[in-house]
Amino acid sequence: MILILLGPPGAGKGTQAQRLEAKHGLVQLSTGDMLRAAVAEGSEVGLKAKVVMDKGELVSDEIMTAIISDRLNEADTKNGVILDGFPRTEAQAASLDEMLATKGLALNAVIEMKTDDDILVERITGRYTCANCGAGYHDSFLKPAVEGVCDKCGGTEFVRRSDDVAETVISRLKAYHEQTAPLLPYYRNKGILKQVDGMTGIDDVTRQIEAELQTI
Ligand code: AP5
């Protein structure tokens, strides 16, 4: 199965992708995570990307398409993937169609996580992740069972993203509305767009996505 989770920053794409990965054996391909790994390595791509990400703008289509194309050639993606953060522009969507067609594959569904902009700043500025395993948490909405200890791996160190500050979130939302939201009619016209209400609780969003997957 090949799924896209589409929605603005903070809509819950990463949270739900981790759950889909655990339940369905799909592989989460988060372009944001891949770029942050490149930044941490200090690679040439990472150095270029950091400047753009810290401004809340989009990294070039050329770089993003090359990253995803390489990743889709790896063996662990054969049983299916959840694309989290890609595509984000019409050019990326067209490249993805070409990549999949070359492999004789096609998208099964694009799930739009509908959210109002005004709650997203609170969601993003309260987010943190386990430094060891990457499990995601939130200061108010998703705390670990034992404060300061990761539910998944028992890690006790947590990190916050450098672009999770209010001013950058506003630029990221602008980029979403101007460059990514136009993909919604593109996928609606292909008949594969599904919508879930991303404003409800995390478990409820998971239930809505699972219900949509039953219709595929
Ligand atoms: P990326 O890492 O993809 O960030 P994003 O799209 O801005 O999305 P987020 O990760 O911020 O949000 P999310 O929807 O995953 O929300 P989450 O589940 O964490 O990209 C970062 C940057 O990289 C971009 O700005 C760009 O520069 C670059 N980039 C990446 N891909 C690119 C591409 N293809 N092309 C060009 N540039 C690219 O949830 C947020 C918080 O809310 C969490 O704490 C969570 O616990 C909580 N939460 C989640 N769901 C709920 C709920 N239903 N109720 C209450 N709380 C909730």
Side-chain angles (χ1 to χ4, degrees), residues 130-147:
C130 172
N132 182 46
C133 74
Y137 297 98
H138 191 279
D139 292 328
S140 311
F141 307 131
L142 187 63
K143 298 178 183 182
V146 177
E147 197 183 333

Side-chain angles (χ1 to χ4, degrees), residues 115-189:
T115 40
D116 296 340
D117 284 1
D118 41 9
I119 55 124
L120 298 176
V121 172
E122 184 188 6
R123 281 201 192 168
I124 290 176
T125 53
R127 167 174 51 191
Y128 61 99
T129 53
C130 172
N132 182 46
C133 74
Y137 297 98
H138 191 279
D139 292 328
S140 311
F141 307 131
L142 187 63
K143 298 178 183 182
V146 177
E147 197 183 333
V149 182
C150 176
D151 293 342
K152 290 204 175 141
C153 74
T156 53
E157 277 189 43
F158 297 88
V159 287
R160 290 181 192 258
R161 282 168 42 178
S162 64
D163 62 342
D164 278 354
V165 289
E167 313 83 77
T168 311
V169 176
I170 307 295
S171 308
R172 286 159 61 193
L173 278 171
K174 187 166 177 281
Y176 174 78
H177 289 297
E178 290 179 357
Q179 295 178 77
T180 308
L183 298 184
L184 296 168
Y186 177 75
Y187 289 122
R188 188 176 293 115
N189 288 340

Side-chain angles (χ1 to χ4, degrees), residues 4-137:
I4 292 176
L5 294 184
L6 196 63
K13 303 181 295 293
T15 303
Q16 297 299 332
Q18 286 184 353
R19 290 179 171 207
L20 287 166
E21 184 175 61
K23 178 157 184 201
H24 296 282
L26 302 170
V27 174
Q28 175 191 10
L29 299 186
S30 159
T31 42
D33 287 348
M34 292 175 201
L35 289 170
R36 283 182 286 280
V39 171
E41 277 167 18
S43 68
E44 196 186 330
V45 165
L47 293 175
K48 276 190 197 160
K50 181 163 173 39
V51 179
V52 178
M53 292 165 81
D54 282 346
K55 285 194 278 187
E57 296 172 359
L58 295 185
V59 175
S60 75
D61 291 333
E62 197 186 3
I63 289 179
M64 298 318 304
T65 302
I67 287 176
I68 280 290
S69 174
D70 286 351
R71 191 65 187 86
L72 285 173
N73 284 332
E74 289 177 30
D76 66 329
T77 63
K78 293 242 168 358
N79 292 332
V81 297
I82 311 146
L83 291 161
D84 160 12
F86 185 94
R88 256 176 156 100
T89 64
E90 287 170 341
Q92 290 179 20
S95 299
L96 178 65
D97 286 348
E98 277 172 32
M99 273 178 235
L100 295 178
T102 308
K103 293 175 187 298
L105 300 170
L107 279 169
N108 297 89
V110 177
I111 298 178
E112 180 194 4
M113 307 184 63
K114 287 175 77 70
T115 40
D116 296 340
D117 284 1
D118 41 9
I119 55 124
L120 298 176
V121 172
E122 184 188 6
R123 281 201 192 168
I124 290 176
T125 53
R127 167 174 51 191
Y128 61 99
T129 53
C130 172
N132 182 46
C133 74
Y137 297 98

